[in-house]
């Protein structure tokens, strides 16, 4: 059964029909019009004379090997759709594209399955017309609309993902410079480990002796630090000959034989050297 107005369209261009393929084009055009599309012109390029109409433009079938028509859909004034039909022998390859996002759907039509070759009347020109209209709507019109919805959904998803990543970067930046933020429990491996060495406070020397498992010496003069921070004592100080290698086990607590420093060296202040009581009193 023909759609309302389809026979009227066929009769309006009946005198210009040149082939059964032309009859197929009138059916595809009316399927577009009945689904809210209006034709705006021929060819792939817009012209100043374009106007939306339900009629086929002049010279629409001048090229029997390639039909190119442009459409706009109601509610989408900025989007252009292009119907391009290519004749291959006695069959037609139908392409329908949303020009804005280049979403394309296609359909192959066997002309002999839907036309009789008789172009004198509408009823005599077609066969299986309902099948053709249903197939065109399902595989072309519905498919291109679903593709447009998918593209819009992907665009919205991409935009949401970008916004979420931007918010995460902003939140990470704020946390990095927050003075009250608790540092992570597992610092990066590349960071330098903290220095757990004893402080260079002379009053801390000997405190480790109170702990049987502690480290360090217990004298005012710590042999493991020497008279200056970061230096170890010379075990050969005060001896006429150096000790043989291995005489002092590594890590052993050791009291030097002599005062720190060697011949010709000026030792620093010795914590063991204290002034006698009353030193400096001119009346003693």
């Amino acid at each position: 059964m023909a759609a309302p107005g389809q026979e009227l369209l066929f009769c309006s261009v009946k005198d210009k029909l040149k082939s059964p393929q032309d009859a197929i084009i009138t059916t595809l055009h009316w399927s577009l019009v009945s689904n809210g599309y209006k034709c705006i012109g021929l060819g792939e390029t817009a012209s100043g004379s374009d106007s939306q109409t339900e009629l086929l433009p002049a010279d629409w079938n001048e090229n029997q090997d390639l039909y190119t028509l442009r459409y706009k859909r109601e509610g989408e004034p900025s989007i252009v759709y292009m119907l391009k039909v290519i004749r291959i022998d006695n069959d037609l390859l139908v392409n329908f594209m949303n020009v804005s996002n280049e979403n394309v759907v296609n359909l192959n039509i066997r002309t002999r399955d839907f036309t009789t070759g008789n172009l004198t009347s509408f009823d005599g020109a077609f066969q299986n017309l309902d099948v053709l209209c249903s197939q065109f709507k399902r595989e072309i019109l519905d498919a291109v609309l679903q593709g447009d919805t998918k593209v819009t959904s992907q665009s919205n998803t991409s935009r949401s993902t970008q916004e979420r990543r931007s918010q995460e970067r902003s939140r990470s930046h704020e946390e990095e410079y927050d003075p009250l933020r608790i540092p992570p429990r597992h610092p990066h491996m590349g960071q330098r480990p903290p220095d757990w060495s004893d402080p260079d406070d002379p009053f801390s020397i000997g405190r480790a002796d109170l702990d049987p498992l502690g480290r360090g010496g217990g004298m005012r003069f710590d042999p493991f630090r020497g008279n200056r921070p970061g230096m170890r004592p010379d075990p050969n100080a005060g001896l006429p000959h150096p000790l043989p290698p291995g005489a002092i086990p590594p890590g052993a607590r050791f009291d030097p034989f002599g005062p720190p420093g060697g011949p010709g060296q000026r030792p620093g202040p010795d914590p063991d050297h204290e002034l006698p009581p009353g030193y400096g009193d001119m009346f003693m």
Side-chain angles (χ1 to χ4, degrees):
M1 180 182 293
Q6 188 172 6
E7 183 178 358
L8 183 62
L9 173 66
F10 177 86
C11 293
S12 67
V13 297
K14 182 177 65 173
D15 296 338
K16 298 180 180 179
L17 298 179
K18 303 177 181 179
S19 63
Q21 289 79 17
D22 288 351
I24 295 292
I25 297 301
T26 63
T27 300
L28 303 184
H29 171 77
W30 183 249
S31 295
L32 286 165
V33 171
S34 61
N35 282 276
Y37 293 85
K38 297 291 183 64
C39 185
I40 62 174
L42 287 174
E44 300 181 2
T45 306
S47 64
S49 60
D50 288 347
S51 61
Q52 299 186 24
T53 177
E54 295 182 357
L55 301 176
L56 283 166
D59 301 327
W60 60 273
N61 62 342
E62 182 178 1
N63 187 346
Q64 288 287 298
D65 295 324
L66 176 64
Y67 304 82
T68 304
L69 299 169
R70 288 177 288 109
Y71 295 84
K72 283 190 176 182
R73 189 166 180 263
E74 295 180 1
E76 300 174 345
S78 61
I79 301 178
V80 176
Y81 295 88
M82 184 179 300
L83 176 67
K84 183 176 291 188
V85 182
I86 303 172
R87 179 180 177 180
I88 304 176
D89 293 333
N90 292 324
D91 296 336
L92 298 178
L93 174 61
V94 180
N95 292 320
F96 191 63
M97 179 177 68
N98 182 335
V99 177
S100 61
N101 59 22
E102 299 183 352
N103 179 30
V104 182
V105 291
N106 54 73
L107 171 66
N108 291 325
I109 297 178
R110 301 186 65 180
T111 306
R112 64 183 180 182
D113 291 343
F114 304 105
T115 60
T116 63
N118 179 12
L119 303 177
T120 59
S121 66
F122 177 79
D123 292 335
F126 296 98
Q127 60 183 359
N128 303 321
L129 188 59
D130 292 343
V131 176
L132 175 60
C133 294
S134 176
Q135 186 178 4
F136 181 76
K137 185 178 186 304
R138 181 181 64 256
E139 299 188 24
I140 294 294
L141 301 183
D142 294 345
V144 75
L145 291 179
Q146 291 176 1
D148 293 345
T149 303
K150 181 178 180 180
V151 170
T152 303
S153 176
Q154 290 176 348
S155 177
N156 293 336
T157 302
S158 177
R159 188 181 302 109
S160 300
T161 302
Q162 293 177 357
E163 292 177 355
R164 184 174 65 254
R165 290 178 178 175
S166 177
Q167 293 176 357
E168 291 177 354
R169 286 195 298 266
S170 177
R171 183 167 56 252
S172 176
H173 179 78
E174 293 177 357
E175 291 179 353
E176 182 178 357
Y177 291 96
D178 185 2
L180 301 180
R181 182 176 63 90
I182 300 176
R185 298 177 61 88
H186 301 286
H188 298 292
M189 297 301 295
Q191 295 181 353
R192 183 179 180 181
D195 184 9
W196 297 105
S197 60
D198 293 335
D200 294 327
D201 181 8
F203 295 102
S204 66
I205 298 175
R207 291 179 182 174
D209 281 353
L210 301 177
D211 182 2
L213 301 178
R215 300 175 301 142
M219 300 180 297
R220 292 287 303 278
F221 177 77
D222 188 351
F224 288 97
R225 287 186 179 272
N227 58 339
R228 281 181 294 179
M231 295 186 61
R232 300 183 63 84
D234 183 9
N236 299 309
L239 296 179
H241 302 286
L243 294 175
I248 302 175
R253 295 193 177 189
F254 171 74
D255 290 338
F257 294 101
Q265 298 181 0
R266 184 176 181 180
D270 188 354
D272 281 343
H273 294 176
E274 294 185 357
L275 300 178
Y279 180 83
D281 188 352
M282 60 181 296
F283 298 104
M284 288 185 65

